[in-house]
Amino acid sequence: MSDADERLRALGLALPPPTPTLFSYAPAIRYRDTVHVAGQIPKTGADTLLAQGVVGESVDAAAGREAVRLCVLHALAWVKHLAGGTLADVERVLRVNYFFQVGRERGGWSQLADEGSELLVALFGERGRHPRSVIGVSELPRNAPVLVDLDIALREGAPGA
């Protein structure tokens, strides 16, 4: 078990199983030593989400932070799957994009995105510190309040799927 896997357990968190998509795209791909993860929404099951709606209206800040954390965990589940079943070979978090479904309320999304960014630093240390974008949009798939995508560099030659 890697340090990141152990840190995840110490935080009382677990990665969900990688959730396949029903649509015409790959949820994640590995190209050489980089894993690109498509937008992840806060799924709690195949047909259920942790929360739905607009951040700052029907979804409060606490639920928004929890949804961000769950999206990042889903993304890491794909990384682990494509990196041979462990997070040990994560070399660097390269980039994270946070998309929030927003209405008339403005601002505060960066603080919600910090939930995911701080989790990545807690798991990978300075290798988890990353550039990011925080974007408010009018609609997300399945009425999700948040969607997170990311790119991760693996150690050169890391085994994987």
Side-chain angles (χ1 to χ4, degrees), residues 44-62:
T44 56
D47 296 319
T48 57
L49 299 183
L50 175 72
Q52 290 180 294
V54 173
V55 175
E57 292 177 12
S58 57
V59 177
D60 66 17

Side-chain angles (χ1 to χ4, degrees), residues 1-17 50 65-74 76-77 80 87 114-124:
M1 184 177 291
S2 76
D3 287 346
D5 291 306
E6 289 175 14
R7 289 179 186 138
L8 192 65
R9 269 197 343 184
L11 292 169
L13 299 172
L15 298 182
L50 175 72
R65 282 190 295 276
E66 191 174 346
V68 166
R69 184 178 340 111
L70 184 55
C71 291
V72 170
L73 292 173
H74 275 290
L76 290 175
K80 185 173 181 174
L87 296 174
D114 280 345
E115 184 73 26
S117 295
E118 290 168 2
L119 175 58
L120 291 167
V121 171
L123 295 178
F124 302 111

Side-chain angles (χ1 to χ4, degrees), residues 8-156:
L8 192 65
R9 269 197 343 184
L11 292 169
L13 299 172
L15 298 182
T19 307
T21 180
L22 301 175
F23 300 99
S24 187
Y25 70 95
I29 61 164
R30 179 174 173 176
Y31 182 72
R32 297 187 177 143
D33 294 322
T34 303
V35 177
H36 303 276
V37 182
Q40 301 294 302
I41 57 177
K43 293 180 185 176
T44 56
D47 296 319
T48 57
L49 299 183
L50 175 72
Q52 290 180 294
V54 173
V55 175
E57 292 177 12
S58 57
V59 177
D60 66 17
R65 282 190 295 276
E66 191 174 346
V68 166
R69 184 178 340 111
L70 184 55
C71 291
V72 170
L73 292 173
H74 275 290
L76 290 175
W78 280 108
V79 171
K80 185 173 181 174
H81 174 71
L82 293 173
T86 180
L87 296 174
D89 288 317
V90 170
E91 179 71 29
R92 182 100 193 142
V93 177
L94 298 173
R95 181 172 185 76
V96 182
N97 295 310
Y98 298 91
F99 298 87
F100 292 93
Q101 183 178 184
V102 299
R104 292 184 176 176
E105 290 288 320
R106 297 287 179 233
W109 311 313
S110 288
Q111 290 84 357
L112 298 181
D114 280 345
E115 184 73 26
S117 295
E118 290 168 2
L119 175 58
L120 291 167
V121 171
L123 295 178
F124 302 111
E126 282 303 306
R127 297 176 297 125
R129 196 164 303 284
H130 54 273
R132 73 180 192 193
S133 296
V134 179
I135 304 158
V137 299
S138 62
E139 185 178 338
L140 287 171
R142 296 176 56 187
N143 197 28
V146 62
L147 177 145
V148 176
D149 68 37
L150 55 75
D151 299 318
I152 300 266
L154 301 176
R155 285 188 178 84
E156 188 174 331

